[in-house]
Structures are given as C-alpha cells and as structure tokens.
Amino acid sequence: MQSRKPIDESGEKDYVGMAMKISNKDGDLIEYRVIGDYTYLRTDIDAVGKVLGAPVPAAEDLPPEAAGLKKALEGEWVKFNNKELEKAGTDMGADGPGAKPSPEPTMDAETQKKLLEALRETVAREVDFTTSGGKDGTEHIIATAPFRTLLTELFGEIRPLAKDLPPGMDLPTDKDLRDAPNAKVSADFTLRNGELSEVSIDLAKLAEDAKVKKFGLLLRVGEGRPTTAPAGATELDMEELMGGFAGAMMDEEEFDESGLAEEGFEEDFPAEDAA
C-alpha cells in the first residue's frame, strides 16, 4: 500500500497505490495493482487452473471482439477503470438500470473504540508474553495463549456490542467454539532496532490429530517501494464485458425456462400417458 499519510492514519481517499501478488513454487499466479482510477491485472490462468483443480477457458475459444479478455487469458497485463466497473455493476443490479447501490454497512467510531478495548482486555487477560534479546539489535516477543479459550473470551467481550455491528456480522456462540482446539499457540514477533520485521506462527498446533508436526505461517515486513503502472496494459471495455456476463446469465435462464425442455418432456411422456 502507498499512502499520502502514515498507514495507521490513512483513510480510503489517502491511498494512491496498492499492489498484491499471489505466487507458488512454480511462479506468479495472480498479480494486481490499483493506481489512481485504474486496476491492473495479470494472471497465469493455466497455473491457477492447476491449483484449483478445475478446467479454465482457452484464449482461442473467445470471439474476436473479446480481444481484451483474450489478452488476460494469455497472461498479459490488462486494466479497467474502477469507476466504469462500478457503473456497469450498478446498471446490472437487481433494482434496474441506473439504480444507486446500497450504502456499505459501516461501524461508528464509538463501536470501533469499544471493540478495540475488548480486544485489549482479552489479550491482557489471556495471553502470556515473553521477551528475549538477540544479536545486532534483534528482540523476540513471544505471545502464547490457548486457542479456544482466547476465541471464547474474545467473542464473549464482543457479543454485548452485537446490536451495534453492521448487518450480517453473525458472531459464533460458545457452543460453536466448543470443538475448536485448545492447544497453546504461540506467535513469535521479531523486532530489529525497535521495528517489527517478522511474525511466525506454527499452525500445526491447531490440528490436534494432524500427521504434520510443523506447519509454519511466516509474515515478513520489509521496506516499501512505490507502486507503478505496468506498461502496455490492454484496457477492458467494462460495459461490453459486463454485458457479455449478463447475456450469458440470461441465456442460461432462458434455457432452463424455455419450451424446449417442455417439448422434450412431452415427446418422451405424452400428456395422455402422464400420471
């Protein structure tokens, strides 16, 4: 993320660039960048298909007018205008063309403050911290807590605030959490010269009967760099693209409700023979 202000002080309008890349041992699967009014996207569609274990469309199967989408399937950079995408999505909405989207559910500042305080109290009560020094200004802070107890206590603190949370945020009950493993899980925070550089967690502790003895999740924090727009990206026509999706959906509905299905049924089972 790139912002005009420090990240912890930034609002949505302060961000000027975002980038994310998903990779595996064979290379990059998906990469996208958001810069200004545009989102840039590049995908290795064959690699994604292997990861998902599902067939993927082939570029040569697309019609000539779908040149932009063909570029995407071929693994090249494509881009689309965020405002046009939002407009195209609104025009396809259930309320009809030109309908304004419903406002996204939000949480007021007072509720956010109460949630943060609930989190602080739970962590202070349930999490044990140990610190150890290292070489060259390195320090380790290890936070350890029983997983189920921590979750149960945390949601117990949040539940009284449920009426102030946005619609759709259903909280799990104590019964829902009863089957969660209660093994002690530790997160190791590494600081170098006072700045967070790495966080590691052994997730195998959460699978009490797993054969895998260690399954580490590692997050490294490095120096940021500016997000730049890739050169030569093909711009997608969002109205054409969304129209194609809409047409495909309508064709499917018409097929399901068409008289063709009924005619086939009548040929196999004439009305006079039907029970």
Side-chain angles (χ1 to χ4, degrees):
M1 289 185 175
Q2 184 179 356
S3 174
R4 298 183 181 91
K5 299 179 180 179
I7 296 297
D8 59 347
E9 300 175 8
S10 298
E12 183 178 351
K13 295 181 179 180
D14 297 317
Y15 293 107
V16 295
M18 300 184 188
M20 180 176 179
K21 183 189 293 184
I22 301 174
S23 307
N24 67 3
K25 59 183 179 62
D26 297 322
D28 298 338
L29 301 177
I30 299 172
E31 181 178 2
Y32 83 86
R33 305 176 191 177
V34 182
I35 303 171
D37 291 333
Y38 280 87
T39 294
Y40 299 81
L41 178 68
R42 179 173 62 176
T43 306
D44 185 338
I45 196 69
D46 293 327
V48 171
K50 290 178 182 178
V51 171
L52 298 178
V56 294
E60 58 266 23
D61 295 334
L62 297 176
E65 58 269 20
L69 191 55
K70 185 176 181 180
K71 293 282 188 182
L73 295 181
E74 291 174 343
E76 298 188 27
W77 279 105
V78 295
K79 67 178 181 178
F80 55 83
N81 188 294
N82 300 324
K83 294 179 179 178
E84 290 184 6
L85 176 62
E86 182 179 347
K87 179 179 180 299
T90 299
D91 290 342
M92 286 182 61
D95 295 332
K100 293 184 178 180
S102 301
E104 294 185 6
T106 58
M107 191 184 303
D108 61 75
E110 183 63 25
T111 301
Q112 293 182 41
K113 184 178 178 180
K114 290 179 180 178
L115 282 175
L116 184 59
E117 187 61 30
L119 175 61
R120 285 174 176 165
E121 290 180 1
T122 304
V123 169
R125 186 171 61 247
E126 302 296 339
V127 180
D128 295 325
F129 293 92
T130 59
T131 61
S132 61
K135 297 180 180 179
D136 303 323
T138 300
E139 181 182 10
H140 288 273
I141 300 177
I142 299 176
T144 304
F147 184 69
R148 185 198 314 143
T149 301
L150 180 61
L151 286 184
T152 301
E153 291 295 319
L154 177 59
F155 284 112
E157 293 281 354
I158 295 175
R159 210 163 281 123
L161 305 175
K163 66 181 186 303
D164 299 319
L165 299 179
M169 293 187 65
D170 296 327
L171 301 178
T173 64
D174 289 345
K175 183 179 180 181
D176 295 330
L177 298 172
R178 196 170 296 161
D179 294 331
N182 206 35
K184 287 191 174 183
V185 179
S186 296
D188 185 347
F189 299 85
T190 302
L191 288 81
R192 289 188 173 88
N193 299 319
E195 293 186 356
L196 180 66
S197 63
E198 190 173 290
V199 182
S200 61
I201 305 174
D202 184 5
L203 297 179
K205 298 284 188 180
L206 301 181
E208 295 172 325
D209 300 324
K211 295 180 180 180
V212 177
K213 298 302 179 184
K214 187 173 183 180
F215 181 62
L217 172 65
L218 182 64
L219 171 66
R220 290 191 176 97
V221 182
E223 184 177 351
R225 57 180 180 267
T227 302
T228 57
T234 301
E235 185 166 358
L236 299 179
D237 185 326
M238 297 315 302
E239 289 189 4
E240 180 180 305
L241 187 62
M242 299 298 283
F245 286 136
M249 293 169 60
M250 290 179 64
D251 289 343
E252 184 176 345
E253 291 175 359
E254 288 172 2
F255 177 79
D256 292 340
E257 300 174 2
S258 68
L260 293 175
E262 295 176 2
E263 289 171 8
F265 181 85
E266 289 175 357
E267 287 178 4
D268 292 335
F269 302 97
E272 57 268 27
D273 295 335

